[in-house]
Amino acid sequence: MKSLVIIFVSIYLNISVGAQQPRIVEGLVMKSKILKQEVKYSIILPEDYYSSRKTYPVVYLLHGLGDNESSWLEYGRVSQYVDPAVRRKEIIPMIYIMPQGYRNYYVNDYADKFLYQDMFVKEFVPHIDSCYRTQADKEHRAILGYSMGGFGALILPLKNPDVFTISVPLSISLRTDEQYKTEDASGWDGQWGRLFGAEGETGEARLTTYYKQHSPFHIFRQNDLSALRNLRLYISNGDDEETLARSNEELYILLRERNFTHQFRVRNGGHEFSYWRDALPDALAFISDAMQGKPYRGDRKVDFKPVHVSKKTTIINTDLYDVVLPAEYAKTQRKYPVIYFFSDTNAQQDVIAQANSLIANNTLAPALLVFVKKHADAVHTVMSEIEETYRARTGYRFRAVIGTGAPGLEAFKASLIPEIFTSCVLFDVAIEDELLHKTVSENKESFSRMWLFIQTTDRSEYYKQNSAAHILLRDENIYHEYRVHERGDTQNWFLNQLAEALRFIERKFHR
């Protein structure tokens, strides 16, 4: 009898488990006539897929060089994000398809030996539409990818605007013409030459017609971009990238110059899954809004709630500056680091409130906050008064400066003087390229001891200056942080980024 019960339970469990159709599947295959081989793919179906008769939009997730069709599942953890996000109604239910991309950058090679893009557009997309309940039109297909997959996520819609209209490339693996011409031949032939022609060549000879037909730089320089007018484009790149820092920034500059509608972000991080996972929430929110024909809702906001400055806060006003003393100031005899603010915004109370909050939870050490009023030529005068009148720690290691907008230029100029400040944060400042180059070339060792944090927005009029500063500092291997944020509706957008800036200053004060 006991054995019969065990057999019955075993049969029951097998039937029950078999009845649960899996939503997340690896190792699926499509037989491709064009490639004359099987193409693998993975899939994530919505939680209600088998309990409904609905159709769904499709997101194609492309992997990078050396990875495969399971990488977004394993390293990207995409399934762990999308299901809770749908339950929270942050994104709509969508089907996620992760195809095998080989090493072909999602294009046809110039010699017609491996026609990947033809396979993708003519076979793979129709295969997905025939096997699953998809909304089979260009408005409901998106492509998101990282690195090589970032190139694919951009080039596939550019070459096939009648198939895809939503593109989210992350850390796009692409080269400017100059990078392409001068890249070391040992890597270039195997990565680019075999795809776009001119293997074994160097310099100008590498810029084949086929390469130009597949270069986003050449495509976006075309006189007529009307075929791409419906493209919804969101680009994201890490500030710690190497070669890709320059190419992604130059693509952003080109898009700005062509007035091509897009979103562009630079966040903290490098060429790694931790960056791409962090980019997912905003990327999929962008895709979800685009699928519904809505304007983009905007990036996740920092949980910043303006609070009133306590009446116990001591603020001393002078003609040159306002100084805010730490709450403990009257009860101690210790000295304090100083953070100088150069700003013409009306956000002084919010800045004080944020700083006080960070000090209260021990994220920021107690410091003197000095708001400089008369910016031109006032730096040394203010510093002297502060250090003579208040218990300020002397020496550049205990001075930091934050500048916003036009007054921030004075903060930038002051930061370039050796051993004045230990760190400098600039929010949307018109950085003077010639001055920065001169300082780096003449005082690189001294300048490298001063940490610089450049923060700007994707709608800033100073986008070229900020991009150039980032690229120069990357080329010179000088530590810095760089961000491109979404532009808010107010000049005080920087308040959402202020906590990160103050933590940056704290690391340098007490590293």
Side-chain angles (χ1 to χ4, degrees), residues 35 37 39-41 61-70 98-107 114 116-117 119-120 148-149 194-195:
L35 298 184
Q37 66 183 61
V39 178
K40 296 179 181 179
Y41 66 96
L61 300 172
L62 308 185
H63 66 75
L65 191 70
D67 290 338
N68 59 38
E69 69 284 352
S70 68
M98 292 148 275
Q100 184 177 11
Y102 306 97
R103 302 174 64 87
N104 261 59
Y105 277 75
Y106 304 91
V107 299
F114 199 77
Y116 186 93
Q117 189 172 136
M119 177 279 298
F120 196 96
M148 178 185 81
R194 67 182 175 85
L195 293 176

PDB file of all heavy atoms in Angstrom, residues 35 37 39-41 61-70 98-107 114 116-117 119-120 148-149 194-195:
ATOM      1  N   LEU A  35      20.782  31.567 -42.673  1.00  0.00           N
ATOM      2  CA  LEU A  35      22.074  31.245 -42.064  1.00  0.00           C
ATOM      3  C   LEU A  35      22.414  29.766 -42.193  1.00  0.00           C
ATOM      4  O   LEU A  35      23.554  29.361 -41.917  1.00  0.00           O
ATOM      5  CB  LEU A  35      22.085  31.632 -40.580  1.00  0.00           C
ATOM      6  CG  LEU A  35      21.908  33.112 -40.254  1.00  0.00           C
ATOM      7  CD1 LEU A  35      22.044  33.334 -38.751  1.00  0.00           C
ATOM      8  CD2 LEU A  35      22.901  33.977 -41.007  1.00  0.00           C
ATOM      9  N   GLN A  37      21.417  27.300 -40.353  1.00  0.00           N
ATOM     10  CA  GLN A  37      21.718  26.742 -39.038  1.00  0.00           C
ATOM     11  C   GLN A  37      20.629  27.161 -38.067  1.00  0.00           C
ATOM     12  O   GLN A  37      19.770  27.993 -38.384  1.00  0.00           O
ATOM     13  CB  GLN A  37      23.076  27.220 -38.536  1.00  0.00           C
ATOM     14  CG  GLN A  37      23.152  28.721 -38.260  1.00  0.00           C
ATOM     15  CD  GLN A  37      24.543  29.156 -37.843  1.00  0.00           C
ATOM     16  OE1 GLN A  37      25.505  29.005 -38.587  1.00  0.00           O
ATOM     17  NE2 GLN A  37      24.649  29.696 -36.640  1.00  0.00           N
ATOM     18  N   VAL A  39      19.236  29.045 -34.770  1.00  0.00           N
ATOM     19  CA  VAL A  39      19.502  30.246 -33.971  1.00  0.00           C
ATOM     20  C   VAL A  39      18.792  30.075 -32.633  1.00  0.00           C
ATOM     21  O   VAL A  39      17.573  29.856 -32.591  1.00  0.00           O
ATOM     22  CB  VAL A  39      18.986  31.515 -34.686  1.00  0.00           C
ATOM     23  CG1 VAL A  39      19.221  32.744 -33.805  1.00  0.00           C
ATOM     24  CG2 VAL A  39      19.663  31.688 -36.032  1.00  0.00           C
ATOM     25  N   LYS A  40      19.556  30.164 -31.550  1.00  0.00           N
ATOM     26  CA  LYS A  40      18.985  29.982 -30.221  1.00  0.00           C
ATOM     27  C   LYS A  40      18.373  31.295 -29.713  1.00  0.00           C
ATOM     28  O   LYS A  40      18.793  32.381 -30.106  1.00  0.00           O
ATOM     29  CB  LYS A  40      20.060  29.523 -29.237  1.00  0.00           C
ATOM     30  CG  LYS A  40      20.660  28.164 -29.557  1.00  0.00           C
ATOM     31  CD  LYS A  40      21.736  27.820 -28.532  1.00  0.00           C
ATOM     32  CE  LYS A  40      22.380  26.488 -28.841  1.00  0.00           C
ATOM     33  NZ  LYS A  40      23.449  26.148 -27.865  1.00  0.00           N
ATOM     34  N   TYR A  41      17.416  31.148 -28.812  1.00  0.00           N
ATOM     35  CA  TYR A  41      16.890  32.339 -28.139  1.00  0.00           C
ATOM     36  C   TYR A  41      16.256  31.947 -26.810  1.00  0.00           C
ATOM     37  O   TYR A  41      15.912  30.789 -26.567  1.00  0.00           O
ATOM     38  CB  TYR A  41      15.898  33.101 -29.020  1.00  0.00           C
ATOM     39  CG  TYR A  41      14.605  32.397 -29.337  1.00  0.00           C
ATOM     40  CD1 TYR A  41      13.453  32.638 -28.582  1.00  0.00           C
ATOM     41  CD2 TYR A  41      14.503  31.511 -30.423  1.00  0.00           C
ATOM     42  CE1 TYR A  41      12.250  32.024 -28.893  1.00  0.00           C
ATOM     43  CE2 TYR A  41      13.310  30.890 -30.738  1.00  0.00           C
ATOM     44  CZ  TYR A  41      12.182  31.141 -29.967  1.00  0.00           C
ATOM     45  OH  TYR A  41      10.990  30.531 -30.274  1.00  0.00           O
ATOM     46  N   LEU A  61      16.033  41.884 -26.519  1.00  0.00           N
ATOM     47  CA  LEU A  61      17.193  42.202 -25.679  1.00  0.00           C
ATOM     48  C   LEU A  61      18.438  41.592 -26.308  1.00  0.00           C
ATOM     49  O   LEU A  61      18.560  40.363 -26.417  1.00  0.00           O
ATOM     50  CB  LEU A  61      16.988  41.641 -24.271  1.00  0.00           C
ATOM     51  CG  LEU A  61      15.775  42.158 -23.487  1.00  0.00           C
ATOM     52  CD1 LEU A  61      15.601  41.369 -22.194  1.00  0.00           C
ATOM     53  CD2 LEU A  61      15.939  43.626 -23.176  1.00  0.00           C
ATOM     54  N   LEU A  62      19.370  42.454 -26.720  1.00  0.00           N
ATOM     55  CA  LEU A  62      20.563  42.002 -27.443  1.00  0.00           C
ATOM     56  C   LEU A  62      21.766  41.963 -26.516  1.00  0.00           C
ATOM     57  O   LEU A  62      21.987  42.882 -25.720  1.00  0.00           O
ATOM     58  CB  LEU A  62      20.839  42.929 -28.619  1.00  0.00           C
ATOM     59  CG  LEU A  62      19.662  43.200 -29.573  1.00  0.00           C
ATOM     60  CD1 LEU A  62      20.119  44.029 -30.757  1.00  0.00           C
ATOM     61  CD2 LEU A  62      18.998  41.901 -30.043  1.00  0.00           C
ATOM     62  N   HIS A  63      22.581  40.925 -26.640  1.00  0.00           N
ATOM     63  CA  HIS A  63      23.746  40.754 -25.773  1.00  0.00           C
ATOM     64  C   HIS A  63      25.010  41.310 -26.414  1.00  0.00           C
ATOM     65  O   HIS A  63      25.051  41.658 -27.596  1.00  0.00           O
ATOM     66  CB  HIS A  63      23.927  39.274 -25.413  1.00  0.00           C
ATOM     67  CG  HIS A  63      24.270  38.379 -26.579  1.00  0.00           C
ATOM     68  ND1 HIS A  63      25.524  38.351 -27.167  1.00  0.00           N
ATOM     69  CD2 HIS A  63      23.512  37.470 -27.262  1.00  0.00           C
ATOM     70  CE1 HIS A  63      25.536  37.465 -28.144  1.00  0.00           C
ATOM     71  NE2 HIS A  63      24.324  36.921 -28.230  1.00  0.00           N
ATOM     72  N   GLY A  64      26.053  41.374 -25.616  1.00  0.00           N
ATOM     73  CA  GLY A  64      27.325  41.904 -26.067  1.00  0.00           C
ATOM     74  C   GLY A  64      28.254  40.830 -26.611  1.00  0.00           C
ATOM     75  O   GLY A  64      27.963  39.628 -26.564  1.00  0.00           O
ATOM     76  N   LEU A  65      29.399  41.275 -27.126  1.00  0.00           N
ATOM     77  CA  LEU A  65      30.396  40.375 -27.718  1.00  0.00           C
ATOM     78  C   LEU A  65      30.890  39.389 -26.673  1.00  0.00           C
ATOM     79  O   LEU A  65      31.287  39.775 -25.570  1.00  0.00           O
ATOM     80  CB  LEU A  65      31.568  41.206 -28.257  1.00  0.00           C
ATOM     81  CG  LEU A  65      32.591  40.476 -29.138  1.00  0.00           C
ATOM     82  CD1 LEU A  65      31.960  40.125 -30.479  1.00  0.00           C
ATOM     83  CD2 LEU A  65      33.816  41.348 -29.352  1.00  0.00           C
ATOM     84  N   GLY A  66      30.863  38.092 -27.009  1.00  0.00           N
ATOM     85  CA  GLY A  66      31.333  37.069 -26.095  1.00  0.00           C
ATOM     86  C   GLY A  66      30.250  36.498 -25.205  1.00  0.00           C
ATOM     87  O   GLY A  66      30.471  35.488 -24.528  1.00  0.00           O
ATOM     88  N   ASP A  67      29.061  37.140 -25.163  1.00  0.00           N
ATOM     89  CA  ASP A  67      27.954  36.627 -24.370  1.00  0.00           C
ATOM     90  C   ASP A  67      26.991  35.864 -25.267  1.00  0.00           C
ATOM     91  O   ASP A  67      27.264  35.651 -26.452  1.00  0.00           O
ATOM     92  CB  ASP A  67      27.259  37.775 -23.639  1.00  0.00           C
ATOM     93  CG  ASP A  67      28.130  38.356 -22.526  1.00  0.00           C
ATOM     94  OD1 ASP A  67      29.033  37.647 -22.055  1.00  0.00           O
ATOM     95  OD2 ASP A  67      27.915  39.518 -22.144  1.00  0.00           O
ATOM     96  N   ASN A  68      25.848  35.484 -24.714  1.00  0.00           N
ATOM     97  CA  ASN A  68      24.919  34.682 -25.501  1.00  0.00           C
ATOM     98  C   ASN A  68      23.470  34.972 -25.123  1.00  0.00           C
ATOM     99  O   ASN A  68      23.200  35.915 -24.376  1.00  0.00           O
ATOM    100  CB  ASN A  68      25.234  33.187 -25.361  1.00  0.00           C
ATOM    101  CG  ASN A  68      25.169  32.720 -23.917  1.00  0.00           C
ATOM    102  OD1 ASN A  68      24.318  33.146 -23.144  1.00  0.00           O
ATOM    103  ND2 ASN A  68      26.085  31.833 -23.542  1.00  0.00           N
ATOM    104  N   GLU A  69      22.580  34.139 -25.624  1.00  0.00           N
ATOM    105  CA  GLU A  69      21.156  34.377 -25.474  1.00  0.00           C
ATOM    106  C   GLU A  69      20.648  34.223 -24.042  1.00  0.00           C
ATOM    107  O   GLU A  69      19.494  34.545 -23.757  1.00  0.00           O
ATOM    108  CB  GLU A  69      20.360  33.446 -26.400  1.00  0.00           C
ATOM    109  CG  GLU A  69      20.381  31.971 -26.028  1.00  0.00           C
ATOM    110  CD  GLU A  69      21.690  31.261 -26.380  1.00  0.00           C
ATOM    111  OE1 GLU A  69      22.548  31.877 -27.053  1.00  0.00           O
ATOM    112  OE2 GLU A  69      21.849  30.098 -25.974  1.00  0.00           O
ATOM    113  N   SER A  70      21.475  33.740 -23.124  1.00  0.00           N
ATOM    114  CA  SER A  70      21.048  33.628 -21.725  1.00  0.00           C
ATOM    115  C   SER A  70      21.633  34.723 -20.841  1.00  0.00           C
ATOM    116  O   SER A  70      21.315  34.798 -19.648  1.00  0.00           O
ATOM    117  CB  SER A  70      21.447  32.258 -21.165  1.00  0.00           C
ATOM    118  OG  SER A  70      22.856  32.157 -21.061  1.00  0.00           O
ATOM    119  N   MET A  98      15.344  37.177 -26.264  1.00  0.00           N
ATOM    120  CA  MET A  98      16.801  37.335 -26.190  1.00  0.00           C
ATOM    121  C   MET A  98      17.457  36.414 -27.212  1.00  0.00           C
ATOM    122  O   MET A  98      17.661  35.216 -26.950  1.00  0.00           O
ATOM    123  CB  MET A  98      17.281  37.007 -24.769  1.00  0.00           C
ATOM    124  CG  MET A  98      16.812  38.034 -23.741  1.00  0.00           C
ATOM    125  SD  MET A  98      16.515  37.345 -22.090  1.00  0.00           S
ATOM    126  CE  MET A  98      14.836  36.744 -22.276  1.00  0.00           C
ATOM    127  N   PRO A  99      17.790  36.933 -28.395  1.00  0.00           N
ATOM    128  CA  PRO A  99      18.331  36.076 -29.458  1.00  0.00           C
ATOM    129  C   PRO A  99      19.845  35.881 -29.347  1.00  0.00           C
ATOM    130  O   PRO A  99      20.558  36.703 -28.776  1.00  0.00           O
ATOM    131  CB  PRO A  99      17.990  36.860 -30.724  1.00  0.00           C
ATOM    132  CG  PRO A  99      18.052  38.289 -30.283  1.00  0.00           C
ATOM    133  CD  PRO A  99      17.552  38.306 -28.857  1.00  0.00           C
ATOM    134  N   GLN A 100      20.312  34.800 -29.915  1.00  0.00           N
ATOM    135  CA  GLN A 100      21.746  34.556 -30.059  1.00  0.00           C
ATOM    136  C   GLN A 100      22.296  35.535 -31.095  1.00  0.00           C
ATOM    137  O   GLN A 100      21.785  35.624 -32.207  1.00  0.00           O
ATOM    138  CB  GLN A 100      21.952  33.110 -30.525  1.00  0.00           C
ATOM    139  CG  GLN A 100      23.383  32.656 -30.646  1.00  0.00           C
ATOM    140  CD  GLN A 100      23.453  31.187 -31.052  1.00  0.00           C
ATOM    141  OE1 GLN A 100      22.438  30.590 -31.430  1.00  0.00           O
ATOM    142  NE2 GLN A 100      24.634  30.596 -30.984  1.00  0.00           N
ATOM    143  N   GLY A 101      23.320  36.312 -30.708  1.00  0.00           N
ATOM    144  CA  GLY A 101      23.836  37.340 -31.603  1.00  0.00           C
ATOM    145  C   GLY A 101      25.185  37.032 -32.208  1.00  0.00           C
ATOM    146  O   GLY A 101      25.695  37.810 -33.016  1.00  0.00           O
ATOM    147  N   TYR A 102      25.789  35.900 -31.810  1.00  0.00           N
ATOM    148  CA  TYR A 102      27.114  35.516 -32.291  1.00  0.00           C
ATOM    149  C   TYR A 102      28.105  36.656 -32.038  1.00  0.00           C
ATOM    150  O   TYR A 102      28.089  37.268 -30.984  1.00  0.00           O
ATOM    151  CB  TYR A 102      27.050  35.101 -33.759  1.00  0.00           C
ATOM    152  CG  TYR A 102      26.026  34.027 -34.014  1.00  0.00           C
ATOM    153  CD1 TYR A 102      24.745  34.350 -34.484  1.00  0.00           C
ATOM    154  CD2 TYR A 102      26.307  32.693 -33.749  1.00  0.00           C
ATOM    155  CE1 TYR A 102      23.790  33.371 -34.698  1.00  0.00           C
ATOM    156  CE2 TYR A 102      25.352  31.700 -33.958  1.00  0.00           C
ATOM    157  CZ  TYR A 102      24.096  32.044 -34.426  1.00  0.00           C
ATOM    158  OH  TYR A 102      23.147  31.078 -34.617  1.00  0.00           O
ATOM    159  N   ARG A 103      28.944  36.969 -33.019  1.00  0.00           N
ATOM    160  CA  ARG A 103      29.921  38.050 -32.880  1.00  0.00           C
ATOM    161  C   ARG A 103      29.775  39.025 -34.046  1.00  0.00           C
ATOM    162  O   ARG A 103      30.747  39.657 -34.463  1.00  0.00           O
ATOM    163  CB  ARG A 103      31.349  37.474 -32.843  1.00  0.00           C
ATOM    164  CG  ARG A 103      31.575  36.465 -31.715  1.00  0.00           C
ATOM    165  CD  ARG A 103      32.935  35.808 -31.803  1.00  0.00           C
ATOM    166  NE  ARG A 103      34.010  36.759 -31.621  1.00  0.00           N
ATOM    167  CZ  ARG A 103      34.498  37.105 -30.426  1.00  0.00           C
ATOM    168  NH1 ARG A 103      33.983  36.589 -29.319  1.00  0.00           N
ATOM    169  NH2 ARG A 103      35.497  37.958 -30.340  1.00  0.00           N
ATOM    170  N   ASN A 104      28.572  39.148 -34.577  1.00  0.00           N
ATOM    171  CA  ASN A 104      28.367  39.843 -35.855  1.00  0.00           C
ATOM    172  C   ASN A 104      27.755  41.230 -35.742  1.00  0.00           C
ATOM    173  O   ASN A 104      27.344  41.807 -36.747  1.00  0.00           O
ATOM    174  CB  ASN A 104      27.508  38.989 -36.797  1.00  0.00           C
ATOM    175  CG  ASN A 104      28.351  38.235 -37.794  1.00  0.00           C
ATOM    176  OD1 ASN A 104      29.214  37.450 -37.402  1.00  0.00           O
ATOM    177  ND2 ASN A 104      28.132  38.480 -39.076  1.00  0.00           N
ATOM    178  N   TYR A 105      27.669  41.783 -34.537  1.00  0.00           N
ATOM    179  CA  TYR A 105      27.157  43.140 -34.366  1.00  0.00           C
ATOM    180  C   TYR A 105      25.777  43.331 -34.984  1.00  0.00           C
ATOM    181  O   TYR A 105      25.383  44.439 -35.312  1.00  0.00           O
ATOM    182  CB  TYR A 105      28.154  44.169 -34.909  1.00  0.00           C
ATOM    183  CG  TYR A 105      29.235  44.506 -33.898  1.00  0.00           C
ATOM    184  CD1 TYR A 105      30.270  43.609 -33.639  1.00  0.00           C
ATOM    185  CD2 TYR A 105      29.202  45.695 -33.170  1.00  0.00           C
ATOM    186  CE1 TYR A 105      31.241  43.893 -32.683  1.00  0.00           C
ATOM    187  CE2 TYR A 105      30.170  45.981 -32.217  1.00  0.00           C
ATOM    188  CZ  TYR A 105      31.186  45.071 -31.974  1.00  0.00           C
ATOM    189  OH  TYR A 105      32.134  45.350 -31.024  1.00  0.00           O
ATOM    190  N   TYR A 106      25.065  42.232 -35.188  1.00  0.00           N
ATOM    191  CA  TYR A 106      23.674  42.262 -35.649  1.00  0.00           C
ATOM    192  C   TYR A 106      23.539  42.876 -37.047  1.00  0.00           C
ATOM    193  O   TYR A 106      22.509  43.455 -37.385  1.00  0.00           O
ATOM    194  CB  TYR A 106      22.790  42.980 -34.624  1.00  0.00           C
ATOM    195  CG  TYR A 106      22.916  42.329 -33.250  1.00  0.00           C
ATOM    196  CD1 TYR A 106      23.870  42.775 -32.335  1.00  0.00           C
ATOM    197  CD2 TYR A 106      22.125  41.240 -32.899  1.00  0.00           C
ATOM    198  CE1 TYR A 106      24.023  42.153 -31.093  1.00  0.00           C
ATOM    199  CE2 TYR A 106      22.278  40.612 -31.664  1.00  0.00           C
ATOM    200  CZ  TYR A 106      23.223  41.073 -30.774  1.00  0.00           C
ATOM    201  OH  TYR A 106      23.382  40.448 -29.550  1.00  0.00           O
ATOM    202  N   VAL A 107      24.593  42.721 -37.867  1.00  0.00           N
ATOM    203  CA  VAL A 107      24.571  43.208 -39.252  1.00  0.00           C
ATOM    204  C   VAL A 107      24.930  42.066 -40.193  1.00  0.00           C
ATOM    205  O   VAL A 107      25.432  41.018 -39.780  1.00  0.00           O
ATOM    206  CB  VAL A 107      25.568  44.374 -39.464  1.00  0.00           C
ATOM    207  CG1 VAL A 107      25.225  45.555 -38.572  1.00  0.00           C
ATOM    208  CG2 VAL A 107      27.010  43.917 -39.234  1.00  0.00           C
ATOM    209  N   PHE A 114      27.651  35.816 -43.816  1.00  0.00           N
ATOM    210  CA  PHE A 114      26.815  35.568 -42.641  1.00  0.00           C
ATOM    211  C   PHE A 114      25.807  36.706 -42.545  1.00  0.00           C
ATOM    212  O   PHE A 114      26.091  37.767 -41.982  1.00  0.00           O
ATOM    213  CB  PHE A 114      27.685  35.500 -41.383  1.00  0.00           C
ATOM    214  CG  PHE A 114      27.008  34.816 -40.228  1.00  0.00           C
ATOM    215  CD1 PHE A 114      26.909  33.434 -40.188  1.00  0.00           C
ATOM    216  CD2 PHE A 114      26.467  35.551 -39.180  1.00  0.00           C
ATOM    217  CE1 PHE A 114      26.297  32.783 -39.111  1.00  0.00           C
ATOM    218  CE2 PHE A 114      25.854  34.916 -38.107  1.00  0.00           C
ATOM    219  CZ  PHE A 114      25.765  33.523 -38.071  1.00  0.00           C
ATOM    220  N   TYR A 116      23.310  38.041 -40.911  1.00  0.00           N
ATOM    221  CA  TYR A 116      22.579  38.034 -39.646  1.00  0.00           C
ATOM    222  C   TYR A 116      21.388  38.979 -39.680  1.00  0.00           C
ATOM    223  O   TYR A 116      20.291  38.619 -39.241  1.00  0.00           O
ATOM    224  CB  TYR A 116      23.496  38.398 -38.483  1.00  0.00           C
ATOM    225  CG  TYR A 116      22.793  38.266 -37.153  1.00  0.00           C
ATOM    226  CD1 TYR A 116      22.868  37.079 -36.437  1.00  0.00           C
ATOM    227  CD2 TYR A 116      22.015  39.300 -36.631  1.00  0.00           C
ATOM    228  CE1 TYR A 116      22.187  36.922 -35.229  1.00  0.00           C
ATOM    229  CE2 TYR A 116      21.333  39.148 -35.432  1.00  0.00           C
ATOM    230  CZ  TYR A 116      21.419  37.964 -34.738  1.00  0.00           C
ATOM    231  OH  TYR A 116      20.734  37.810 -33.556  1.00  0.00           O
ATOM    232  N   GLN A 117      21.586  40.203 -40.184  1.00  0.00           N
ATOM    233  CA  GLN A 117      20.480  41.160 -40.167  1.00  0.00           C
ATOM    234  C   GLN A 117      19.327  40.699 -41.039  1.00  0.00           C
ATOM    235  O   GLN A 117      18.163  40.864 -40.666  1.00  0.00           O
ATOM    236  CB  GLN A 117      20.964  42.550 -40.598  1.00  0.00           C
ATOM    237  CG  GLN A 117      19.921  43.625 -40.392  1.00  0.00           C
ATOM    238  CD  GLN A 117      20.467  45.027 -40.628  1.00  0.00           C
ATOM    239  OE1 GLN A 117      19.825  45.834 -41.266  1.00  0.00           O
ATOM    240  NE2 GLN A 117      21.642  45.322 -40.116  1.00  0.00           N
ATOM    241  N   MET A 119      18.543  37.593 -41.565  1.00  0.00           N
ATOM    242  CA  MET A 119      17.891  36.553 -40.761  1.00  0.00           C
ATOM    243  C   MET A 119      16.991  37.176 -39.710  1.00  0.00           C
ATOM    244  O   MET A 119      15.832  36.761 -39.526  1.00  0.00           O
ATOM    245  CB  MET A 119      18.953  35.674 -40.097  1.00  0.00           C
ATOM    246  CG  MET A 119      18.410  34.588 -39.177  1.00  0.00           C
ATOM    247  SD  MET A 119      17.963  35.160 -37.489  1.00  0.00           S
ATOM    248  CE  MET A 119      19.525  35.727 -36.869  1.00  0.00           C
ATOM    249  N   PHE A 120      17.502  38.202 -39.013  1.00  0.00           N
ATOM    250  CA  PHE A 120      16.772  38.797 -37.898  1.00  0.00           C
ATOM    251  C   PHE A 120      15.464  39.415 -38.383  1.00  0.00           C
ATOM    252  O   PHE A 120      14.401  39.195 -37.787  1.00  0.00           O
ATOM    253  CB  PHE A 120      17.648  39.861 -37.228  1.00  0.00           C
ATOM    254  CG  PHE A 120      17.182  40.271 -35.869  1.00  0.00           C
ATOM    255  CD1 PHE A 120      17.715  39.702 -34.731  1.00  0.00           C
ATOM    256  CD2 PHE A 120      16.194  41.234 -35.712  1.00  0.00           C
ATOM    257  CE1 PHE A 120      17.285  40.069 -33.461  1.00  0.00           C
ATOM    258  CE2 PHE A 120      15.756  41.622 -34.452  1.00  0.00           C
ATOM    259  CZ  PHE A 120      16.304  41.027 -33.322  1.00  0.00           C
ATOM    260  N   MET A 148      28.100  45.422 -27.828  1.00  0.00           N
ATOM    261  CA  MET A 148      27.791  45.022 -29.198  1.00  0.00           C
ATOM    262  C   MET A 148      26.282  45.043 -29.413  1.00  0.00           C
ATOM    263  O   MET A 148      25.792  45.439 -30.479  1.00  0.00           O
ATOM    264  CB  MET A 148      28.342  43.622 -29.474  1.00  0.00           C
ATOM    265  CG  MET A 148      28.045  43.085 -30.863  1.00  0.00           C
ATOM    266  SD  MET A 148      28.573  41.363 -31.127  1.00  0.00           S
ATOM    267  CE  MET A 148      27.196  40.479 -30.374  1.00  0.00           C
ATOM    268  N   GLY A 149      25.534  44.618 -28.385  1.00  0.00           N
ATOM    269  CA  GLY A 149      24.079  44.674 -28.472  1.00  0.00           C
ATOM    270  C   GLY A 149      23.550  46.095 -28.506  1.00  0.00           C
ATOM    271  O   GLY A 149      22.465  46.347 -29.023  1.00  0.00           O
ATOM    272  N   ARG A 194      36.479  42.214 -40.653  1.00  0.00           N
ATOM    273  CA  ARG A 194      35.751  41.074 -41.202  1.00  0.00           C
ATOM    274  C   ARG A 194      34.281  41.398 -41.480  1.00  0.00           C
ATOM    275  O   ARG A 194      33.634  40.754 -42.314  1.00  0.00           O
ATOM    276  CB  ARG A 194      35.845  39.882 -40.252  1.00  0.00           C
ATOM    277  CG  ARG A 194      35.123  40.086 -38.942  1.00  0.00           C
ATOM    278  CD  ARG A 194      35.276  38.896 -38.003  1.00  0.00           C
ATOM    279  NE  ARG A 194      34.660  39.186 -36.718  1.00  0.00           N
ATOM    280  CZ  ARG A 194      33.372  39.025 -36.448  1.00  0.00           C
ATOM    281  NH1 ARG A 194      32.561  38.579 -37.405  1.00  0.00           N
ATOM    282  NH2 ARG A 194      32.886  39.308 -35.251  1.00  0.00           N
ATOM    283  N   LEU A 195      33.743  42.431 -40.781  1.00  0.00           N
ATOM    284  CA  LEU A 195      32.345  42.806 -40.971  1.00  0.00           C
ATOM    285  C   LEU A 195      32.162  43.848 -42.067  1.00  0.00           C
ATOM    286  O   LEU A 195      31.243  43.753 -42.885  1.00  0.00           O
ATOM    287  CB  LEU A 195      31.758  43.335 -39.664  1.00  0.00           C
ATOM    288  CG  LEU A 195      31.611  42.334 -38.518  1.00  0.00           C
ATOM    289  CD1 LEU A 195      31.114  43.051 -37.272  1.00  0.00           C
ATOM    290  CD2 LEU A 195      30.672  41.203 -38.897  1.00  0.00           C
TER     291      LEU A 195
END
